[in-house]
Amino acid sequence: MLLNELLCISKVPPGTKHIDMDLATLPPTTAMAILLYNRWAIRTIVQSSFPVKQAKPGPPQLSVMNQMQQEKELTENILKVLKEQAADSILVLEAALKLNKDLYVHTMRTLDLLAVEPGMVNGETESSTAGLKIKTEEMQCQIGSLSLHCTIDEKRLAGYCQACDVLVPSSDSTSQQLTPYSQVHICLRSGNYQEVIQIFIEDNLTFSLPVQFRQSVLRELFQKAQQGNEALDEICFKVCACNTVRDILEGRTISVQFNQLFLRPNREKIDFLLEVCSRSINLEKASDCLKGNMAAFLKNVCLGLEDLQYVFMISSHELFITLLKDEERKLLVDQMRKRSPRVNLCIKPVTSFYDIPASASVNIGQLEHQLILSVDPWRIRQILIELHGMTSERQFWTVSNKWEIPSVYSSVILGIKDSLTRDLVYILMAKGLHCSTVKDFSHAKQLFAACLELVTEFSPKLRQVMLNEMLLLDIHTHEAGTGQSGERPSSDLISRVRGYLEMRLPDIPLRQVVAEECVAFMLNWRENEYLTLQVPAFLLQSNPYVKLGQLLAATCKELPGPKESRRTAKDLWEVVVQICSVSNQHKRGNDGRVSLIKQRESTLGIMYRSELLSFIKKLREPLVLTIILSLFVKLHNVREDIVNDITAEHISIWPSSIPNLQSVDFEAVAITVKELVRYTLSINPNNHSWLIIQADIYFATNQYSAALHYYLQAGAVCSDFFNKAVPPDVYTDQVIKRMIKCCSLLNCHTQVAILCQFLREIDYKTAFKSLQEQNSHDAMDSYYDYIWDVTILEYLTYLHHKRGETDKRQIAIKAIGQTELNASNPEEVLQLAAQRRKKKFLQAMAKLYF
């Protein structure tokens, strides 16, 4: 608002795109106002993308929640406008880089001058010396000594620059100009892993890359290797070796990954490790501490090797000879010889670190790490067999707290007597469920298939559990894949869904979500015939989602019929009303008085309201969503204190009253309506009926600008952005009257007069009254070209003559004089003239409010 005021006061013509204005020819204060606005716009867009730490919420209060929601929606609307204008803002700022003159920004003094003499155009406020002088160099580059009015954190800016260069490398970047970070990221993207290794070796001398960054690179390579890229195994070892040498030089312990990768040493690994050690230390400049760390590392590597030829490779290396004294080298070699099996058995070998019993726990830790990372069912089985061979005291299903299975299954699985089988079943299922959650359906299917094969051997109960989970997985796979493009599911999948719904096996643990997804699946693919006629009666009594699905399917089928035949619509209404009803409870306070309290989530209905909302958000079929939405809108409207009804398609099929009005939690209903509209518009943002509901909600909550946005959007989506006439069942008289009220309360009185023409019977009284208002926030006379009713134009002519507004009167007279508005014209010509003006006006309004 402040920057828009600055634009107005700086003589920026309203309605003119900034990109169409030549900054070089504008007065300095005008150009500066345009630049300030567009700089703010781009900065706001960028800052909106940053993550914001949410404040810890206090006790939920509806008024506070509504206010927060309104603020959020207002902010989102502003951001949407700014993002649409972003391309133009960037072009304006780029054009500013070519300016070669100083600019000026208004001060309190120049603003006071404007207030005293608002008509001044060529006076002091527009001269080259008015206001605060901003040098061209400072406007273009606010860094360093040039900047007088802004202080820049140069180190932070350099960090941003470096991060941007990693994401979008400059086209003219060379290896000499790039930072090590950028070089590493470019190499990883291009698969040039050998270059990454060379960068890490060089960094072992400078210590410029943080250890955490180097570890993240290794983790990324490990993940790629785990996904089946076996060629990366060698690269992982080499990067791990580089990181390990960096760790020991800085006094940190050797990582578990290095011990794991070095379990089976060979000549190539030893050679590479020696190369890294040699290139990572400058013996002439290195401190005694660094030399000592390196010597201790090489010594420990030798002690961990069983093959003497590898020991001699290290002990004969130049670096080893330089760092260890003769006595230390001889003692080490003697110790290794005594450990060799070729020596006399009576000589007691000296144990190394890896020979003592603690090595078992190291191996267990490494295997547990592999167990956590692996998604290959056969590898998981192999690891568990190894672990159970090492110890029988551990429960390996507890290794990761991320492994979770539904509580209805856990008692059955944890009741398996054999510990290896118990661990394997639990982990396979937990990993499969996790993969399904993150939409890694191929791995989930492998894990579930392996688990199914395993449990089939000993547990019919768990076999059925796995079949149910695999059905749910197949539903998710179809919905996330070919189902999104509208391809119907296979008849086999539909048959399996029916089979699940009709299943009557006793003592089978069932997850409610499977039934929920199955019913939603049938509704989404319009299997209404089955839900209404073929569902077994026992299911309607035992499964609330099937009951709800049947009522929704039947209501869809009956919709085209006469109102009196819609019995199921009344049944569905009663079910939802009961779900949204609250039970009243009496509570005795400390003072002995009895007060009435409401139980928010009551069990009066077949399910909780939160469960109903969760189920609805699994639906995608437009007709089903429209029916549910209209039901909740009608329920919202029956409230006694409602002022502005919300309109909805098919709203007439529902009862118009509720016997026990006090029992309904209308606050919860209002919240549900808002959530449902938000969800349905995420499914189809171009459904005009849902857009009108959203607009009505904003209208009812006094958010008139947002309401206009959605009323206009509803008209735009069903008229090819107003190039065709908006259907009368979309822009009904009620919608037009609400748009009129919105414009009136926003002080856009000329828009009110124009909209009065859209009514089936023109509302001259409201139009004339609005035109009498002199405090209008719209473009007033620039809208006269959109008026086609001659009576309104004649009234405007009279009004401007009465006020002595000659210029505006001439504009109105010019509008009346257009030949296509001549009353003698055929009706078709007059209708065409009206339609053309409707189109242009609505398009102008859309640009204003979108």
Side-chain angles (χ1 to χ4, degrees), residues 625-634 648-651 654:
L625 288 172
T626 299
I627 285 173
I628 294 171
L629 196 49
S630 70
L631 189 157
F632 271 97
V633 165
K634 183 67 175 184
E649 202 174 356
H650 307 307
I651 201 167
W654 312 113

Side-chain angles (χ1 to χ4, degrees), residues 578-584 601-608 663:
Q578 208 163 25
I579 291 172
C580 295
S581 295
V582 290
S583 58
N584 295 330
E601 283 278 353
S602 74
T603 52
L604 294 176
I606 60 174
M607 64 181 71
Y608 290 119
S663 65

Side-chain angles (χ1 to χ4, degrees), residues 6 67 73 83 150 157 171 220 264 272 302 353 383 386 460 562 591 657 669 689 693 706 709 780 788:
L6 182 62
Q67 183 181 351
E73 288 168 350
K83 286 175 182 176
C150 186
L157 187 61
S171 57
E220 184 176 336
R264 295 180 180 83
F272 179 79
C302 286
F353 172 80
I383 293 169
E386 289 184 48
D591 56 357
S657 61
V669 171
S689 172
I693 294 173
H709 169 93
M780 298 180 70
W788 64 87

Side-chain angles (χ1 to χ4, degrees), residues 684-697:
N684 181 7
N686 294 324
N687 185 304
H688 65 81
S689 172
W690 300 344
L691 288 166
I692 291 287
I693 294 173
Q694 180 66 85
D696 281 350
I697 290 171

Side-chain angles (χ1 to χ4, degrees), residues 113-130:
L113 286 172
L114 281 172
V116 173
E117 298 183 63
M120 182 185 291
V121 174
N122 299 313
E124 186 181 3
T125 54
E126 298 299 327
S127 73
S128 60
T129 60

Side-chain angles (χ1 to χ4, degrees), residues 615-800:
F615 172 72
I616 294 170
K617 288 184 177 180
K618 291 178 170 61
L619 300 173
R620 289 192 329 277
E621 169 59 26
L623 181 57
V624 177
L625 288 172
T626 299
I627 285 173
I628 294 171
L629 196 49
S630 70
L631 189 157
F632 271 97
V633 165
K634 183 67 175 184
L635 188 54
H636 171 272
N637 289 347
V638 299
R639 188 172 179 172
E640 290 176 337
D641 58 347
I642 202 75
V643 177
N644 296 304
D645 278 1
I646 300 173
T647 55
E649 202 174 356
H650 307 307
I651 201 167
S652 62
I653 69 174
W654 312 113
S656 55
S657 61
I658 300 174
N660 190 5
L661 203 62
Q662 292 77 19
S663 65
V664 178
D665 186 351
F666 284 107
E667 288 182 8
V669 171
I671 293 170
T672 305
V673 170
K674 290 179 182 178
E675 287 192 48
L676 288 179
V677 174
R678 195 177 300 117
Y679 170 70
T680 53
L681 288 177
S682 73
I683 296 295
N684 181 7
N686 294 324
N687 185 304
H688 65 81
S689 172
W690 300 344
L691 288 166
I692 291 287
I693 294 173
Q694 180 66 85
D696 281 350
I697 290 171
Y698 280 125
F699 181 82
T701 53
N702 305 327
Q703 299 177 72
Y704 302 113
S705 179
L708 273 174
H709 169 93
Y710 281 97
Y711 284 133
L712 288 164
Q713 194 172 337
V717 298
C718 60
S719 64
D720 190 19
F721 197 67
F722 305 113
N723 284 305
K724 301 173 185 172
V726 179
D729 62 329
V730 177
Y731 274 3
T732 61
D733 269 7
Q734 179 175 320
V735 170
I736 297 298
K737 285 176 181 178
R738 291 189 171 185
M739 291 173 72
I740 288 170
K741 186 172 180 181
C742 288
C743 292
S744 177
L745 292 167
L746 291 170
N747 286 337
C748 297
H749 301 295
T750 316
Q751 294 172 7
V752 170
I754 296 169
L755 284 169
C756 285
Q757 302 173 110
F758 283 62
L759 296 166
R760 284 175 176 78
E761 293 185 10
I762 298 175
D763 186 353
Y764 289 113
K765 181 180 179 182
T766 303
F768 293 168
K769 185 179 179 182
S770 66
L771 291 172
Q772 290 170 11
E773 296 284 347
Q774 291 185 294
N775 183 26
S776 186
H777 291 174
D778 56 24
M780 298 180 70
D781 48 328
S782 65
Y783 280 120
Y784 291 178
D785 284 341
Y786 303 135
I787 302 175
W788 64 87
D789 183 79
V790 176
T791 305
I792 294 176
L793 286 170
E794 287 174 343
Y795 181 77
L796 273 171
T797 307
Y798 158 75
L799 201 61
H800 290 314

Side-chain angles (χ1 to χ4, degrees), residues 204-223:
N204 283 353
L205 285 168
T206 60
F207 295 178
S208 59
L209 290 173
V211 175
Q212 293 82 359
F213 173 74
R214 294 172 60 129
Q215 289 172 346
S216 71
V217 172
L218 179 58
R219 279 197 299 272
E220 184 176 336
L221 292 172
F222 264 131
Q223 287 171 1

